[in-house]
């Protein structure tokens, strides 16, 4: 079975307020005071401005949505993340907006931390949101991002 994630991650209050007017948006509480908004087809349609998809090299970042993410980030850092895996092989991409502008990324190649282990793009973005990893784990695991395999699973555990 594969794993797929396209989502906005930010502080719970920030994300709830920012997504309030977005048709189809659902906010899923994570750990450490953060929440996730899955990028479903309905949300995609609600936030796109109709310009070219693949903004900043992402697979499913709606055209023009990076402007909204920048605006949302005036209230606190906001990450947009994508991951796709099947059979242990896959890719990740992430970016973080803060203070009204793109602050980190887009990240798509794991960087080395202390030259010992790779740090995934999503974990690097989560570090910017203040996520603390547990001993032997990474930020991705610390938030529980592996508990659902796709947007439908995340949506079924969400609140509107």
């Amino acid at each position: 079975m594969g794993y797929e994630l396209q989502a906005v991650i930010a502080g719970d209050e920030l994300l709830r307020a920012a997504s309030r007017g977005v048709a189809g948006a659902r906010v899923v509480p994570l750990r450490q005071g953060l929440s996730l908004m899955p990028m479903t087809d309905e949300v995609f349609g609600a936030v796109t401005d109709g310009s070219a998809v693949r903004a900043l090299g992402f697979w499913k970042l709606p055209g023009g949505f990076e402007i909204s993410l920048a605006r949302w980030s005036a209230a606190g850092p906001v990450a947009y993340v994508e991951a796709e895996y099947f059979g242990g092989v896959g890719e990740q991409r992430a970016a973080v907006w803060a203070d009204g502008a793109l602050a980190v990324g887009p990240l798509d190649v794991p960087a080395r931390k202390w030259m010992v282990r790779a740090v995934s793009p999503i974990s690097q973005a989560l570090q910017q949101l203040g996520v603390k990893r547990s001993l032997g784990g990474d930020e991705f695991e610390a938030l529980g991002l592996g508990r659902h395999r796709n947007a439908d699973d995340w949506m079924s555990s969400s609140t509107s």
Side-chain angles (χ1 to χ4, degrees):
M1 177 173 227
Y3 176 87
E4 185 178 304
L5 177 67
Q6 295 94 26
V8 177
I9 300 174
D12 184 67
E13 289 182 26
L14 184 163
L15 193 54
R16 286 184 190 284
S19 66
R20 200 165 279 130
V22 177
R26 298 289 187 266
V27 175
V28 182
L30 299 170
R31 300 172 186 149
Q32 301 187 31
L34 297 177
S35 287
L36 171 147
M37 180 183 78
M39 183 57 61
T40 63
D41 290 339
E42 186 177 4
V43 170
F44 184 98
V47 299
T48 187
D49 68 1
S51 62
V53 179
R54 296 199 42 90
L56 302 174
F58 286 96
W59 309 303
K60 198 170 179 173
L61 179 64
F65 189 45
E66 68 276 10
I67 296 166
S68 295
L69 294 172
R71 189 175 63 250
W72 293 1
S73 77
V78 176
Y80 179 78
V81 301
E82 294 183 339
E84 188 172 311
Y85 287 91
F86 188 82
V89 177
E91 297 179 57
Q92 288 187 16
R93 193 164 186 83
V96 178
W97 286 260
D99 299 319
L102 182 63
V104 177
L107 304 166
D108 60 2
V109 177
R112 294 275 169 197
K113 185 175 183 180
W114 302 302
M115 305 304 276
V116 176
R117 66 184 206 121
V119 178
S120 74
I122 292 177
S123 285
Q124 290 177 65
L126 295 176
Q127 289 171 2
Q128 300 300 310
L129 298 181
V131 173
K132 303 296 181 211
R133 62 185 175 97
S134 57
L135 186 62
D138 65 8
E139 292 78 6
F140 189 98
E141 295 165 329
L143 279 190
L145 292 178
R147 74 178 192 236
H148 297 297
R149 311 291 299 167
N150 57 47
D152 290 340
D153 292 346
W154 284 106
M155 292 294 283
S156 68
S157 71
S158 71
T159 59
S160 33

